[in-house]
Amino acid sequence: MSSEIRQMWERYIFENKLDSSKMDKMIIDSWKLSKKFKVNPNEGIGNKILTTSDFQKRLKENETLISLAKRSLDRFGMLFKNMDFILVLTDADGYILWQAGPESLQGIAREMGFLQGSQWTESVVGTNAIGIALRTKEANIIHGYEHFAKASQQWSCVSSPILGENSQVKGVVDLSMPSHYPKKIDFLVRVQLIADYISEALQKKAYEDQKYMLQFYSTKKQVGILCDSSMTILHISPDLIENPENVIGKKLTHLPKSKWLLEKQEPIWREKECIGYFVSVLKNETKNKTFQFPYIVGRSQTYNELLEEVKIVAPTSAPIHLFGETGTGKEVLAKTIHMNSPFSNGRLVCVNCGALPENLMESELFGYEKGAFTGAHANGYQGKIEQAHNGTLFLDEIEDMPASMQSDLLRVLQEKKITRIGGSKEIPLHFRLITASNQNLKKLVMEGQFREDLFYRIYVCPLHIPPLRERKEDICEFIKAFEESNSWFPHWENTLIEVAEQNQWNGNIRELNNFLERCYVYYRERIPSKEQLVELIHKGGLNTQAEKEGDTANFKDQIEKEQIKNALLQHNGNIPLTAEQLSMSKSTLYRKMKKYHLN
């Protein structure tokens, strides 16, 4: 049967002929789709892979699904005893979230791009069991040459969709085995058993969670929007929008413009798990105001997703917490939020808690009356918190605030009043609070280094700013912005961009700008080589990605590694073509691949 399928596959690929009487209609339809999607039948390697940040985001969104998949392997593992297999879980878009099976088999799978974060749909890799299950919502077996592309033809795969409410596909369970295993209906039954188990548990949990959230919603006195943990709308007050049923099931970010603004996202907890959010709203006084991003540079999908969140939270009065590595631009984002907030007519007062000595922090934040202590200003001092009245207070490096100050700040946030040092008068305040940290604030709370009650006050709308290495598409934009601001337009810009995009920038935007300033000084009127630019990066850097990975600390090697890696990806691992592009012999290429651990 296998040789007959192979002959039919070859006739279709080379002659475009199909005998529908000898082929399953499901396979025929998928082969035709694969051709329509222009999948290369001689390859079919999974080359659409999520970035680290996007993959982590999907893992977070599908925590329950992954947990149930792991539990199912413990429960049904005896069904696959003495078999070589990989059990795979994908999300609703076909991205692989989790794999289990012997490392030797997973290693072979990785060579064809069948790995975590890779998309395994018909449009990407051609006919395969996962892609068909996603499209048809039915379980199936694809064996050997029934796969459209060669990369998958050494496998036999069984997939079954995981269905949520209203038969909505939430993901796929897939069992992949070497093709010497026969095409047996028994395998299909086993996989369906796992998928049905996960589907039933998922639907039961969704029902119980929604029931709990609706009860929570009924206790709220103000109008608002009820969302699940992925910010998908479950219920919206009819007072807010005409035909609310049209937006149920859509993401909160997809809501049409209206006469109101999203204000505060209140998490709904059930058994220590955040199962959803109640989003309160306020009347939009700035409906016709254009959102402004005067300080923002970036066009990457990752950063644009962040800006979409900013558009939601900025026009409200809710506290915002920015977290990200040093140098990612937290203060820049704080300025943007302030400019687009209801407090934009007031001041933006910035305080770096990490830069203030502990003995000065109290007077700097809370101010003091005249004569409050020796050395006090004769007229007293209006503290930073008071200066932010009717404006925005930005507290950077909030994790460095001493415990005593945390207690005082909490009192101000609760009472909306402040008393200066040495004074007795309570001064009412109204301001927007933005905090920032480059450490994991949740971890600091768990370790007892940050007050839990203050954490819940400031961590209402957390926004994660991705590091520059996860938004490399933006490096070109930063370079052009630097050139524009300095009226400096080197004709070797492409070389500068190429070298910059290959560095990891552990110091993020700050480190990149530091490097660009050196470029401007050293090569304003000269043309540097790639090696000289790399050395210039090294001159101002603290450490290198090469050191992190255990490779050689030579930046020239790091560039060479990236060039080889990109060429291998471009030619899908074809050694002769890669060697030809790099102008090196095959033996040299193999030696360098071994040196840089590029398998």
Side-chain angles (χ1 to χ4, degrees):
M1 180 65 181
S2 178
S3 60
E4 186 179 356
I5 296 292
R6 177 175 182 173
Q7 290 172 6
M8 286 188 281
W9 177 81
E10 289 175 343
R11 285 197 71 192
Y12 181 60
I13 297 303
F14 299 114
E15 303 175 28
N16 201 31
K17 294 180 180 179
L18 272 174
D19 187 347
S20 57
S21 64
K22 296 181 179 180
M23 285 281 290
D24 189 312
K25 184 178 183 300
M26 177 184 69
I27 304 296
I28 291 174
D29 291 344
S30 185
W31 279 8
K32 289 179 178 179
L33 270 178
S34 301
K35 266 199 174 182
K36 181 180 178 181
F37 289 130
K38 297 182 180 179
V39 175
N40 187 342
N42 294 310
E43 294 177 359
I45 293 173
N47 54 18
K48 190 171 182 182
I49 303 173
L50 293 170
T51 62
T52 302
S53 59
D54 287 341
F55 180 59
Q56 292 300 323
K57 184 177 180 181
R58 285 186 184 254
L59 289 181
K60 182 70 176 175
E61 291 174 350
N62 293 277
E63 281 180 342
T64 301
L65 194 64
I66 296 169
S67 174
L68 289 170
K70 292 178 179 178
R71 198 185 306 168
S72 70
L73 184 60
D74 294 336
R75 184 166 185 170
F76 301 107
M78 74 291 292
L79 297 176
F80 309 104
K81 194 175 181 180
N82 302 322
M83 286 177 57
D84 279 334
F85 70 91
I86 301 175
L87 190 65
V88 173
L89 174 73
T90 81
D91 65 7
D93 296 320
Y95 285 104
I96 297 175
L97 301 173
W98 172 77
Q99 287 179 319
E103 178 56 35
S104 58
L105 207 56
Q106 290 196 59
I108 296 171
R110 280 195 291 270
E111 291 177 4
M112 53 183 273
F114 193 63
L115 44 79
Q116 290 185 155
S118 176
Q119 190 177 37
W120 216 254
T121 58
E122 292 167 291
S123 62
V124 177
V125 297
T127 301
N128 72 93
I130 292 172
I132 291 176
L134 287 169
R135 177 171 55 84
T136 65
K137 297 186 180 182
E138 295 179 358
N140 68 90
I141 304 177
I142 304 298
H143 185 271
Y145 283 96
E146 291 176 343
H147 291 94
F148 181 78
K150 283 185 177 180
S152 302
Q153 289 175 350
Q154 302 305 310
W155 294 83
S156 181
C157 305
V158 188
S159 292
S160 183
I162 298 168
L163 302 178
E165 295 176 288
N166 304 317
S167 297
Q168 183 182 10
V169 176
K170 294 292 186 179
V172 168
V173 174
D174 172 79
L175 184 73
S176 292
M177 307 163 284
S179 61
H180 62 73
Y181 281 92
K183 186 174 181 178
K184 292 172 60 177
I185 193 68
D186 178 48
F187 293 146
L188 190 67
V189 173
R190 299 180 198 185
V191 174
Q192 278 184 299
L193 185 65
I194 294 175
D196 289 347
Y197 165 77
I198 297 174
S199 297
E200 184 178 342
L202 208 60
Q203 291 171 28
K204 182 180 179 182
K205 184 180 185 306
Y207 172 76
E208 292 173 349
D209 286 351
Q210 286 195 28
K211 182 179 177 182
Y212 183 90
M213 284 189 287
L214 287 169
Q215 289 174 343
F216 177 90
Y217 183 86
S218 66
T219 65
K220 307 302 289 185
K221 294 182 179 179
Q222 71 266 46
V223 294
I225 306 167
L226 189 67
C227 298
D228 65 15
S229 58
S230 66
M231 301 311 294
T232 299
I233 299 171
L234 302 176
H235 180 79
I236 184 169
S237 172
D239 297 334
L240 297 176
I241 191 171
E242 294 181 10
N243 304 316
E245 63 277 1
N246 293 340
V247 299
I248 303 299
K250 293 183 178 179
K251 293 288 186 180
L252 186 66
T253 52
H254 294 167
L255 274 179
K257 293 180 180 178
S258 189
K259 295 181 180 179
W260 41 266
L261 290 168
L262 309 181
E263 183 184 26
K264 180 180 177 182
Q265 297 177 9
E266 181 182 350
I268 304 171
W269 298 90
R270 181 170 180 253
E271 297 176 356
K272 297 183 179 181
E273 178 189 2
C274 178
I275 60 173
Y277 297 88
F278 173 76
V279 184
S280 55
V281 300
L282 55 81
K283 189 175 180 181
N284 187 354
E285 303 292 347
T286 58
K287 180 184 176 184
N288 298 319
K289 183 179 176 181
T290 303
F291 209 92
Q292 302 174 68
F293 290 118
Y295 312 104
I296 295 299
V297 175
R299 59 182 173 83
S300 65
Q301 179 182 347
T302 304
Y303 201 61
N304 279 326
E305 287 174 358
L306 169 64
L307 296 183
E308 286 301 315
E309 283 194 78
V310 170
K311 286 182 180 180
I312 294 173
V313 301
T316 74
S317 59
I320 293 175
H321 181 73
L322 311 176
F323 60 103
E325 296 176 6
T326 298
T328 49
K330 294 187 281 292
E331 186 169 347
V332 168
L333 200 62
K335 288 180 180 178
T336 301
I337 292 170
H338 170 70
M339 178 172 286
N340 295 281
S341 76
F343 301 88
S344 59
N345 291 330
R347 291 179 60 186
L348 170 65
V349 179
C350 302
V351 181
N352 188 328
C353 299
L356 279 175
E358 187 172 341
N359 61 332
L360 296 179
M361 186 175 292
E362 183 178 17
S363 59
E364 188 67 19
L365 286 177
F366 295 90
Y368 54 83
E369 297 291 353
K370 60 182 180 180
F373 50 83
T374 303
H377 193 279
N379 297 320
Y381 175 70
Q382 186 184 59
K384 298 294 186 184
I385 299 176
E386 194 177 339
Q387 291 174 30
H389 180 55
N390 288 328
T392 300
L393 177 66
F394 175 51
L395 298 179
D396 198 4
E397 298 187 22
I398 184 76
E399 68 272 25
D400 289 333
M401 180 176 282
S404 59
M405 291 293 96
Q406 292 178 29
S407 175
D408 292 339
L409 176 62
L410 177 64
R411 192 176 304 111
V412 171
L413 297 178
Q414 289 174 334
E415 299 176 2
K416 305 293 185 184
K417 297 175 183 177
I418 194 170
T419 303
R420 293 182 184 178
I421 298 171
S424 57
K425 179 184 175 183
E426 289 187 332
I427 303 169
L429 295 175
H430 179 57
F431 62 88
R432 169 53 153 321
L433 179 66
I434 302 176
T435 56
S437 65
N438 53 42
Q439 296 185 44
N440 187 332
L441 219 53
K442 291 182 180 180
K443 184 180 178 183
L444 294 179
V445 172
M446 303 287 271
E447 294 173 350
Q449 297 181 45
F450 197 87
R451 290 183 65 108
E452 183 177 357
D453 44 10
L454 179 59
F455 169 83
Y456 286 118
R457 277 284 176 179
I458 68 176
Y459 209 82
V460 178
C461 296
L463 299 175
H464 174 243
I465 307 177
L468 192 55
R469 61 182 171 274
E470 292 179 10
R471 41 183 290 220
K472 289 202 170 184
E473 306 97 307
D474 295 338
I475 289 176
C476 175
E477 301 296 313
F478 281 111
I479 290 174
K480 290 181 181 296
F482 179 88
E483 292 171 348
E484 186 73 33
S485 64
N486 289 277
S487 299
W488 174 59
F489 305 100
H491 63 272
W492 44 272
E493 180 191 75
N494 289 340
T495 304
L496 175 60
I497 292 171
E498 181 183 348
V499 170
E501 287 181 342
Q502 289 171 347
N503 190 51
Q504 291 302 304
W505 303 114
N506 296 319
N508 293 294
I509 302 165
R510 190 175 292 126
E511 183 185 359
L512 173 61
N513 283 330
N514 177 278
F515 161 66
L516 292 174
E517 287 177 12
R518 280 197 303 285
C519 281
Y520 181 69
V521 171
Y522 282 88
Y523 297 109
R524 186 168 42 191
E525 298 176 356
R526 294 186 295 155
I527 302 175
S529 65
K530 286 184 182 179
E531 290 75 14
Q532 287 173 318
L533 289 176
V534 168
E535 288 172 7
L536 210 59
I537 293 175
H538 195 190
K539 186 185 285 277
L542 293 174
N543 53 26
T544 69
Q545 182 66 12
E547 289 171 339
K548 276 190 169 185
E549 295 179 357
D551 292 337
T552 168
N554 188 320
F555 271 86
K556 184 177 179 181
D557 286 352
Q558 184 66 14
I559 283 188
E560 184 176 59
K561 176 184 176 181
E562 291 294 329
Q563 289 174 335
I564 294 172
K565 180 181 177 182
N566 291 335
L568 285 167
L569 287 172
Q570 183 178 340
H571 296 293
N572 292 316
N574 186 302
I575 298 299
L577 289 177
T578 301
E580 182 180 348
Q581 177 180 323
L582 297 170
S583 300
M584 63 176 66
S585 67
K586 287 190 289 184
S587 59
T588 300
L589 178 58
Y590 278 119
R591 177 170 55 80
K592 290 185 179 292
M593 286 172 64
K594 183 177 180 181
K595 174 183 176 181
Y596 299 131
H597 308 293
L598 296 171
N599 297 321

